[in-house]
Amino acid sequence: MATPILVPHLGSADQKLKVSLWLSRVGEQVLAGDRVVELLIPGITFDVESPCSGTIISCDCQPGAEVCEGSVLGWIDEMKPDPSAELE
């Protein structure tokens, strides 16, 4: 199941947000909470965390792209839980 990486609510609706750089690449495994992309707000940077564990399958917004709160930055193929792990 693909899960979107979204621009979170930052309280900056009146300011322009730009994608600075991707900290993870397509095909890379990430864990929930890992920093995956950096956004720029005039004067500060903000890291967006992975919403789930899995594999980055697309980086839709390239560095320099303007985005707004709620925009889809990319997608993660969510890692399915290992049922055998529950038996331990």
Side-chain angles (χ1 to χ4, degrees):
M1 178 170 90
T3 300
I5 302 167
L6 302 172
V7 176
H9 175 72
L10 302 172
S12 60
D14 59 335
Q15 294 185 342
K16 292 183 181 180
L17 300 167
K18 283 192 178 184
V19 175
S20 173
L21 63 101
W22 279 89
L23 304 168
S24 299
R25 299 172 197 221
V26 171
E28 186 175 333
Q29 294 276 326
V30 294
L31 298 174
D34 282 354
R35 301 176 315 133
V36 292
V37 63
E38 180 182 86
L39 300 178
L40 293 174
I41 302 171
I44 61 170
T45 60
F46 179 83
D47 293 333
V48 177
E49 297 178 351
S50 174
C52 61
S53 297
T55 304
I56 303 282
I57 56 174
S58 75
C59 300
D60 295 350
C61 297
Q62 298 306 310
E66 287 191 13
V67 295
C68 59
E69 293 177 356
S71 295
V72 175
L73 298 167
W75 294 87
I76 296 175
D77 185 15
E78 191 170 346
M79 189 182 309
K80 293 163 185 55
D82 181 0
S84 65
E86 294 178 13
L87 300 176
E88 296 176 7

